[in-house]
Amino acid sequence: MRQTLSLLELNQILADVIDAGMPREYWVEAEISELREVRGHCYIDLIEKSEDSNTPVARASAKCWANTWSTVSPLFEKVTGQTLHPGMKLLMLVSANFHPAFGFSWIISDIDPTYTLGDMARKRQAIIEQLKKEGVFDLQKELELPLFCQHIAVISSANAAGYGDFVNQLESNDYGFQFHTQLFPATMQGEGVEQSIITALNKIYDVMSDNHSDFDCVVIIRGGGATSDLSGFDTLALAENVAQFPLPIITGIGHERDESILDMVSHIRVKTPTAAAALLIDNLKRVWDFLQESKNELAVIAKQRMEEEQVRLLRVSQKIPSLFSLVRERQEHMLDLLKQAVLSAAQRSVSDNLHKIDIMTGNLQPQTNRKLMEEKHKLQMLEQRALALDPELLLKRGYSITTHNGKTVRDILQLKPGDKIETRVEKGVIHSIVDNTLDASN
């Protein structure tokens, strides 16, 4: 006959073997895969990953009973500043336990927070070194907060008390400064912090590009959440996005004990949202004070300059009479010199012109004599012609001259019967009346 065991019997044997073979507790390094609390007890899924491929090489379940968890968890948070969460590495004191009804699990009796703190520090340092290697760690520090920093893009949870405190403090500032804020909602605690803030930064950049909104800076604030839940601000992707953002980023995520990597790469880090508001108000107050001081200095300088100019004008006005007298003497002397120069020039000109006239006169006399002789000869020739044409000479030669109404008759057609005509001869005048006219051609 074959001997058989029930499942309960088999599991009980296994439980006895484990109790006998593993009676003591062990310190174990493992990473949290999942974690949940049920009625005060904590149930954790543990995992170990390959360093080469980051793939799981071992898995196990662990439990921390309520009486232990109530002591271990607060101490861990106090030392590390963070709550236990997936992705965190732990050093745990465990003992093996196999329950016939519920199977195998490791029972946690203690957790060493200093191990986790060291692991967190190593991760943070690795991220910092990577940022410095990329040359982006100090990029935000190279930016300058605008003098008139009044248009603020805010990344926060819309319902967070810290956001309300931030806005109220800006609006109720003692100086009456006007600030304009625009909220870009984001998750500020838990596992979604990294991607949520990166998405909000991308939205701010898109608004600036599409609408040409002129934001002066970005404020990332957190308030009202658990102060220990800050692991989401210590990631490489978030740090890279913040470090390379083109506007100055101010962080006020509400923790004092330690700096997050987000704080390290930001332009300015403050402790709380209200401190961020106070920083912006103080920045504008410094600008206002500077402008007021500059205004006062300009007024003083202008007044001093006016007084100096008045003194200078008074001195100049006192010198004007003596200066005028001196100028007048100089001008009179200059006029005398000009007068003498004009007279000398006029005398020289007259002398030169008289000499020219003498020369021209000497040259003109022979030309005049020649001209007179030529004209005299022409007159003699004309006189001879005139004598040859003298009517008296013609009459003496037997010619006569007939006129009608004082005009010489050259053509019989000028006359008609009954016209009175005069005929001049050498000795006397004959008066006649035309009886008839005959054409010489007929």
Side-chain angles (χ1 to χ4, degrees), residues 395 401 403 421-432:
L395 292 175
I401 299 173
T403 61
I421 60 175
E422 291 182 353
T423 302
R424 285 179 62 87
V425 293
E426 180 183 1
K427 296 180 179 181
V429 179
I430 303 171
H431 296 277
S432 307

Side-chain angles (χ1 to χ4, degrees), residues 238-256:
L238 178 58
E240 289 175 332
N241 276 269
V242 169
Q244 298 179 81
F245 202 74
L247 292 179
I249 294 179
I250 301 170
T251 57
I253 54 180
H255 62 106
E256 301 181 10

